[in-house]
Amino acid sequence: MHPSLVAITERIRQRSQASRAAYLATMQAQERQGPHRGQLGCGNLAHGFAACNQGDKNTLRMMNQANLAIVSAYNDMLSAHQPFEHYPALIRQAAHEMGCVAQFAGGVPAMCDGVTQGEAGMELSLFSRDVIAMSTAIALSHNMFDAALYLGVCDKIVPGLLIGALRFGHLPGVFVPAGPMPSGLPNKEKARIRQLYAEGKIGRDELLEAESASYHSAGTCTFYGTANSNQLLVEVMGLHLPGAAFVNPGQPLRDELTAEATRQAIRNTALNGRFRPLYEIVDEKVIVNSMVALMATGGSTNHTLHLIAIAAAAGVQINWQDFDELSDITPLLCRIYPNGQADVNHFHAAGGTPYLIRELLDAGLLHEDVKTVVGDSLRDYAREAFLQEGKLIWKPAPTHSHDEAVLRPATQPFSADGGLKLLQGNLGRGVIKISAVAPEHQVVEAPAKIFHSQQALADAFKRGELECDFIAVVRFQGPAACGMPELHKLTPYLGVLQDKGFKVALVTDGRMSGASGKVPAAIHVCPEASQGGPLARVQEGDVIRLDARSGDLQLLVDDATLAAREPVVADLSDVQQGTGRELFGWMRQSVSAAEQGATVFTQLEAYRG
């Protein structure tokens, strides 16, 4: 094991002793209740199986066969979640074949950041994660179940499902993916057309044609954003079946993996003598493994929020310093768009998650001695899934990458360190994704231009006011201000200016997510401007230094001058009303800072004291 990995894990364990102990005590108390429907009164149980067929009723009357909860993010507008329409039938059939029952326990909301980019709905996006966690808890609250299957893919959905599942961690659980859509228009071409549109060189019809060729069928979007980062991380955490993350929808292998996930969940119940509750799987080592995998692949910056909130739900306390130090020791092994030109289908074909896990294990950068949904070693996940004569089998990961332009061995990485860095200075603390930022753009020192919305920057670009070196300060975008929207509409404009030779960067208390690209962006800066953070004291023309190499984020104004300034107070009424945003006012008032996960669940053990 790499000594720094061991030291960081031990530091997290020490920091989390009290909160982890409290979590385990809660889970063990729930576990001691036994098969939960056995504790229900006759009227309660009758309500619980009233709509079942007679065979399922007879099974559920007995307490010696498992009842699985299906918690699904299905809707047929989201391409990534549309395949889940047929999963309940597959799951019920597989459960019946083992003499058990599966009930659709509840649905959770699933919104698409691709649809809501730049729209009012994006200001509900981050909060949807915590709503999903609560919806998961409601689905499981009937206490009818011996295990659960969690069906979700995209940005806030998997983190929300996992937070909710961890609060029912006394139940075994398996996460069940749907897979990415087949490859469409190459990502480089998509980005080129977006920039042409931003420059006014093509019209909406041409842009829509390109976008439709990129996002063209059922399945996850194929770039390596938060959705596909979710799938890779959940597999590295041992919560999928091995090799399950990136099999395309509609394939026989995909359906068989879903059926086997059902069978595995049943095997893991107390009724089958191999009790494996979720709380025993997700611990400090598993959280560290997920962080390492994020670094090794240049994954989504959203996980500097989500993993903190997920860990807290299991009583584990992590912070951005942990991410930064793990990034220092983790080699970058992948080039997947936006860090390269390949998509996740190319990554999967090159060897995918099984190859990546094997390389990181052999390099001493993952904890191997962890429990998973299939066994007691992460080495089980260095295997690929195949169908052989109609039966599901696993074979060892390939010994060599099939495409070293996409996926490399740990001995020949694209970079000696990972794709995320901590930034800190007199403007606060934030993170930056540098795996797609060329070395010559990783340090920018330039005057500030101040904006309070994406649209304000877009309007300034269209007026020709940004043809210069500058750092865009887009403030009042934090969770307490307006729900911390992603700011992807800025990417084409800033990319055009960078291509023209100007030194440009972004500093914001908002998000950029997994699509963070070639322009350096200090994001999630906290304290946020609406809470009186230093960003609220920046004035037009102030010089800012963003140094991703040293981790400095400095406003080049002396301390006395900065302290003497009154923070700007923005009128946020237009982003807190309409499109249902007024319903989320209590969440804006209660949400924690970005480095604490930007969550309303501040009562969890990890945040006490």
Side-chain angles (χ1 to χ4, degrees), residues 320 421-424 428-432 522-526 553:
W320 288 344
K421 294 289 184 183
L422 170 67
L423 294 172
Q424 53 191 332
R429 287 164 67 91
V431 296
I432 185 168
I523 59 176
H524 306 174
V525 175
C526 57
L553 182 61

Side-chain angles (χ1 to χ4, degrees), residues 163-332:
I163 291 168
L166 284 166
R167 302 315 297 182
F168 281 77
H170 59 290
L171 296 178
V174 179
F175 279 69
V176 185
M181 67 177 68
S183 301
L185 185 74
N187 288 301
K188 185 176 182 180
E189 179 65 6
K190 176 182 68 176
R192 184 186 71 84
I193 290 172
R194 284 178 174 178
Q195 287 202 179
L196 289 174
Y197 180 76
E199 293 176 277
K201 294 179 179 178
I202 62 170
R204 181 178 172 84
D205 288 345
E206 293 93 335
L207 177 65
L208 182 57
E209 187 66 27
E211 297 288 357
S212 298
S214 298
Y215 309 115
H216 60 90
S217 72
T220 317
C221 305
T222 59
F223 71 93
Y224 192 50
T226 309
N228 287 315
S229 296
N230 283 341
Q231 300 312 304
L232 185 140
L233 298 187
V234 168
E235 192 155 311
V236 172
M237 295 171 80
L239 300 176
H240 280 167
L241 294 185
F246 298 124
V247 176
N248 299 121
Q251 302 296 313
L253 177 58
R254 177 85 278 159
D255 289 348
E256 186 56 28
L257 283 164
T258 300
E260 180 62 16
T262 306
R263 294 189 283 265
Q264 191 63 37
I266 291 170
R267 294 184 196 111
N268 288 350
T269 63
L271 300 172
N272 279 270
R274 188 185 176 276
F275 187 48
R276 182 144 302 200
L278 197 63
Y279 79 81
E280 289 186 356
I281 295 176
V282 180
D283 62 7
E284 297 90 345
K285 290 181 179 180
V286 163
I287 294 295
V288 168
N289 283 351
S290 70
M291 297 163 75
V292 169
L294 185 72
M295 304 305 167
T297 56
S300 170
T301 53
N302 272 330
H303 281 291
T304 62
L305 308 174
H306 296 329
L307 285 175
I308 290 172
I310 290 166
V316 177
Q317 300 182 47
I318 59 174
N319 58 41
W320 288 344
Q321 189 67 42
D322 301 325
F323 281 92
D324 189 69
E325 292 183 24
L326 288 169
S327 185
D328 285 343
I329 65 170
T330 304
L332 182 67

Side-chain angles (χ1 to χ4, degrees), residues 473-505:
V473 176
V474 184
R475 60 192 181 188
F476 298 101
Q477 305 299 306
C482 59
M484 207 179 192
E486 291 178 349
L487 305 176
H488 287 317
K489 279 201 168 183
L490 302 178
T491 301
Y493 303 114
L494 295 174
V496 166
L497 295 166
Q498 187 182 80
D499 288 351
K500 288 183 175 182
F502 298 115
K503 291 184 178 296
V504 295

Side-chain angles (χ1 to χ4, degrees), residues 480-561:
C482 59
M484 207 179 192
E486 291 178 349
L487 305 176
H488 287 317
K489 279 201 168 183
L490 302 178
T491 301
Y493 303 114
L494 295 174
V496 166
L497 295 166
Q498 187 182 80
D499 288 351
K500 288 183 175 182
F502 298 115
K503 291 184 178 296
V504 295
L506 171 68
V507 176
T508 181
D509 46 13
R511 295 185 290 131
M512 286 294 282
S513 176
S516 303
K518 64 186 182 180
V519 176
I523 59 176
H524 306 174
V525 175
C526 57
E528 63 176 278
S530 70
Q531 303 292 299
L535 284 185
R537 291 180 164 85
V538 180
Q539 296 180 358
E540 189 85 8
D542 284 346
V543 176
I544 293 174
R545 180 174 177 82
L546 188 165
D547 187 335
R549 297 172 189 161
S550 66
D552 287 335
L553 182 61
Q554 296 287 345
L555 182 67
L556 302 185
V557 171
D558 66 79
D559 293 345
T561 300

